[in-house]
Amino acid sequence: MLARKLVAEYLGSLLLAALVIGSGIAAQRLSPGDVGLELTENAAATAAGLFAIILMFGPISGAHFNPVVSFVDAALGGLSWRHALAYLPVQVVGCVSGAVLANLMFGASAVSIATTHRATAAHGLAEVVATIGLILIIFALVRTGRAAQAPAAVGAYIGAAYWFTSSTSFANPAITIGRMFSNSFAGIAPSSAPLYLGAQIVGGVLAVLLVRYLYPAPGPTPNAAIDAVPTEATKSA
């Protein structure tokens, strides 16, 4: 039932943004001035929390929480285009709602526009790489019948990508938009967001080509971006 899937995608996207931004605010307050420690705390919380929310919503919607994942899934035949188009606004609204929730949980203004500028060529390249890696880990597992391992693998990848990419691996247009609404450690200035969004789209297109080349035959799981964690799950960040 599409309505249940949309509710799951909204709640999962909300929790994802609250997780990323809330842990960023906490890290900034608990370890002021120590950017390395702040990033470690933010990355660890995101990796662990992402694993949990994929398990939570994977059996319902596939736990995408990411328009790139949804559209790649549709391009590879695992999700209908109608559902992918329906997921998109829900994921964006969910991430914006999660940013507001995170701000409120830490006693800040409900909405504060981020001022952290991240728009350089290096950041754009990093987002292309981060997005390709995220899509490859999801669909490599799905198309080889190992989708049950996706929650842990996605959490681990995102946790690592916080460190090996200069952009700290947003790899998700919805979370990029959501993070504009919190002027915190995890925020991104609106002027920097277009570069990230464009890089994520490019990464998604390249990832489709790589998945089709490297894993041409789908595995036993037909719903390509996470249909199978104990009773199923997997996604994105």
Side-chain angles (χ1 to χ4, degrees):
M1 183 178 178
L2 180 57
R4 287 177 64 244
K5 293 182 178 182
L6 294 179
V7 170
E9 282 297 300
Y10 171 76
L11 292 175
S13 299
L14 181 153
L15 287 174
L16 173 62
L19 168 68
V20 171
I21 295 169
S23 63
I25 295 172
Q28 192 172 29
R29 293 185 179 182
L30 293 170
S31 308
D34 190 335
V35 177
L37 184 54
E38 290 171 355
L39 185 61
T40 299
E41 293 161 346
N42 192 202
T46 299
L50 184 55
F51 177 33
I53 63 175
I54 290 171
L55 287 174
M56 192 184 305
F57 296 109
I60 303 170
S61 67
H64 295 187
F65 320 141
N66 184 337
V68 174
V69 173
S70 298
F71 279 82
V72 169
D73 198 357
L76 295 173
L79 182 72
S80 73
W81 283 104
R82 183 174 76 89
H83 283 196
L85 289 169
Y87 278 18
L88 172 61
V90 168
Q91 291 161 343
V92 173
V93 172
C95 284
V96 173
S97 301
V100 171
L101 178 61
N103 290 334
L104 291 173
M105 286 193 296
F106 284 90
S109 299
V111 174
S112 57
I113 303 303
T115 58
T116 302
H117 294 281
R118 305 172 183 259
T120 68
H123 287 121
L125 176 60
E127 278 301 290
V128 172
V129 171
T131 305
I132 290 174
L134 175 62
I135 298 302
L136 282 179
I137 190 63
I138 292 171
F139 289 93
L141 293 172
V142 169
R143 290 171 79 87
T144 56
R146 298 174 294 156
Q149 299 175 32
V154 171
Y157 173 80
I158 292 298
Y162 259 80
W163 285 96
F164 81 79
T165 65
S166 61
S167 65
T168 66
S169 185
F170 286 40
N172 180 340
I175 197 67
T176 301
I177 293 171
R179 287 166 76 159
M180 292 191 301
F181 294 90
S182 179
N183 189 23
S184 64
F185 180 77
I188 179 173
S191 60
S192 297
L195 174 69
Y196 276 56
L197 297 174
Q200 290 154 4
I201 292 170
V202 170
V205 171
L206 294 175
V208 169
L209 299 176
L210 286 170
V211 170
R212 285 178 170 164
Y213 178 72
L214 294 171
Y215 308 98
T221 304
N223 183 9
I226 297 164
D227 256 346
V229 164
T231 341
E232 218 304 25
T234 272
K235 147 291 159 175
S236 166

